[in-house]
Amino acid sequence: MSGFQTPATVWSSTFVPSKSPFPEFGQDGYAVAWVDTEDGRFQVLVDGARPVPGTVGRLVSATLGEDAIEMFVADPT
Amino acid sequence: MTGVHITGVGLTGFGKHSDTPLADLGVAAAENALADAGIGYDAVGEVFTSSALAGPQTGLAVAHRLGRTGIPVTATESASAGGMVALRHAVWAVASGRCSTALAIGYEKTTALEPGGVVPAAVGFWDHFPPQLHYAIEAAHWLYETQCGPEVIAAVAAKSYNQARLNPLAARRNPERVTVDDVLGARVVAEPLTKMMCHASVDGGAAVVVSADTAPRSVSVLSIEQTSWPKDPGWPLVGPVVGPPSQITLTAQRAYANAGVGPQDVGVVSLHDMCASEEITALIAMGLTDADGVVKLAESGGLASDGSLPTNTDGGCIARGHPIGATGLAQTAEVVSQLRGEAVSRQVAEPRTGVVQAVGGGGSCVVALLRG
């Protein structure tokens, strides 16, 4: 994955109704998605509600614990 | 055609064996398989062992307990596919002429860590998350594409629980018949998967004897094929997860071709079902049915032992249980029992050809075709 605010489209997603392993994220459950980008399909955490397939958005850089990751953020509708 | 035959299979009970040393599970399964084959350990020319979590040299410890005959003992590790990887080595040890009889042994303890065993530690980012994530995402996609509800996956899981009720060695034997509503009503692990759609982590052992010679109850190995992590741009690399459905298709096609049979010839199926949705995926990927067909099979009971495509008749990983390194050999034992006509209350009506499929984290897939 390359960088900041990469356009991405959701292929599929799930919602996990339990605490995420990172205290600063998803303590009431969290969504994970497979998203398609120009560089391929990736598994990413979702910032917000579980997106339906076809949802368009961006991958935004974030840090969880000591890990630098990219999270999916849906575009405003 | 390999010219190799399975002459003996052996299992331990699957479940919690907290107080049983891991090696004992391997020894017990091997002794059961040798007894089933009607031979002693001194007839075995090579041993291949499988475990994902055992400590170093456990395979040698198991073999030494069986008899210090000086034969080669090789330990393998390939996660959930490990048992089938060990079986493939055993088959080719015989097929190549290196020996006339070989033994594959799988053993695992997942409910209580064996002293000296491997402690699975989070290495990558996704190792911190539930391993069911990618199954859930794939299952959600399949439901979206087919416009089906989760009750299809629940029907597959309920079938597995009810098959396990007929298997005295299974870990999850529900006293009452399990319904689709029971499965749907269980705790959600990752939408659309509930806990009852996910495998049972258990302890257990399984072993298979292969031989160049036939015996009255022997089953022929028509083919056994393995692939490891082929490229698929549609399958994200997120750590040691299983490979994509396209890998199952590739492996199955090679196995069918080398066996000289097709999906239409298969009368009994055992496949890896870490989650019940994986059973659906694998049946389609192996060409045994299509998306419409699998829905009808699941909802009509067609995947049960009295159905038209009997699948995971021992309860599968969902309910027989999943002792990682032993699972593939337990699957093989079930198909052998079916082809012999010895599966008692879960016996399929006169299957002639069976298929065993296993996938493992990190990316190996093995498919074997057997004929009674």
Side-chain angles (χ1 to χ4, degrees):
Chain A
M1 259 182 302
S2 60
F4 184 65
Q5 303 236 330
T6 304
T9 303
V10 173
W11 183 81
S12 182
S13 68
T14 184
F15 179 75
V16 181
S18 54
K19 289 183 178 180
S20 102
F22 295 92
E24 65 270 43
F25 173 79
Q27 293 304 286
D28 296 319
Y30 57 96
V32 181
W34 285 9
V35 297
D36 289 329
T37 73
E38 278 189 359
D39 295 329
R41 182 169 293 160
F42 298 98
Q43 178 168 302
V44 292
L45 293 174
V46 175
D47 183 359
R50 179 185 175 186
V52 299
T55 300
V56 175
R58 296 155 289 132
L59 297 181
V60 177
S61 298
T63 301
L64 281 185
E66 296 179 350
D67 291 290
I69 62 164
E70 292 188 311
M71 299 181 74
F72 178 80
V73 180
D75 286 346
T77 53
Chain B
M1 305 292 178
T2 65
V4 177
H5 313 279
I6 294 175
T7 55
V9 296
L11 300 169
T12 67
F14 283 14
K16 284 192 176 182
H17 294 282
S18 306
D19 298 327
T20 305
L22 176 58
D24 285 12
L25 296 174
V27 170
E31 288 176 342
N32 289 340
L34 291 167
D36 187 49
I39 62 171
Y41 184 68
D42 55 358
V44 175
E46 286 202 42
V47 171
F48 299 90
T49 66
S50 166
S51 174
L53 306 176
Q57 291 95 50
T58 303
L60 286 165
V62 170
H64 288 176
R65 290 266 305 279
L66 293 167
R68 298 183 67 173
T69 57
I71 61 170
V73 176
T74 304
T76 68
E77 190 286 304
S78 196
S80 303
M84 291 295 287
V85 169
L87 179 63
R88 177 175 170 274
H89 280 290
V91 167
W92 282 105
V94 172
S96 68
R98 290 209 311 263
C99 61
S100 59
T101 301
L103 177 61
I105 313 169
Y107 40 83
E108 207 77 81
K109 285 180 71 174
T110 67
T111 67
L113 186 66
E114 181 78 357
V118 175
V119 182
V123 177
F125 177 75
W126 290 106
D127 294 339
H128 297 280
F129 291 86
Q132 293 89 352
L133 272 185
H134 82 282
Y135 296 104
I137 292 171
E138 188 192 17
H141 179 74
W142 187 80
L143 294 179
Y144 175 78
E145 288 283 297
T146 59
Q147 293 296 297
C148 290
E151 60 272 11
V152 177
I153 303 172
V156 173
K159 174 273 303 175
S160 293
Y161 279 96
N162 292 325
Q163 287 295 136
R165 295 179 68 218
L166 307 174
N167 178 3
L169 298 179
R172 288 174 169 172
R173 279 173 287 157
N174 213 56
E176 307 294 332
R177 187 166 181 80
V178 172
T179 67
V180 168
D181 286 343
D182 293 334
V183 178
L184 291 174
R187 175 176 64 83
V188 174
V189 175
E191 293 176 349
L193 302 178
T194 69
K195 189 174 188 303
M196 288 186 73
M197 297 176 187
C198 299
H199 74 281
S201 287
V202 301
D203 313 325
V208 174
V209 178
V210 298
S211 175
D213 302 320
T214 59
R217 295 161 58 244
S218 64
V219 164
S220 296
V221 180
L222 299 180
S223 66
I224 182 164
E225 293 293 324
Q226 178 182 347
T227 61
S228 297
W229 208 239
K231 191 172 184 180
D232 184 332
W235 199 250
L237 266 171
V238 284
V241 299
V242 299
S246 61
Q247 180 184 11
I248 300 172
T249 300
L250 173 67
T251 319
Q253 286 175 342
R254 289 179 182 174
Y256 291 134
N258 286 339
V261 302
Q264 71 280 359
D265 299 309
V266 171
V268 62
V269 182
S270 178
L271 52 79
H272 187 69
D273 57 334
M274 172 95 167
C275 301
S277 53
E278 201 183 4
E279 184 167 321
I280 293 172
T281 303
L283 285 170
I284 296 170
M286 290 195 290
L288 293 162
T289 185
D290 58 18
D292 289 339
V294 79
V295 172
K296 290 174 186 162
L297 286 164
E299 293 181 342
S300 68
L303 300 175
S305 50
D306 59 353
S308 59
L309 187 60
T311 302
N312 289 344
T313 49
D314 58 354
C317 293
I318 299 289
R320 171 204 61 231
H322 184 26
I324 313 172
T327 294
L329 295 170
Q331 292 178 242
T332 303
E334 174 65 8
V335 171
V336 167
S337 294
Q338 292 285 357
L339 295 173
R340 285 172 166 176
E342 297 176 353
V344 198
S345 58
R346 62 182 189 279
Q347 179 64 49
V348 171
E350 300 181 357
R352 178 161 157 72
T353 303
V355 65
V356 187
Q357 175 263 9
V359 290
S364 283
C365 175
V366 184
V367 175
L369 282 151
L370 310 178
R371 174 158 290 170

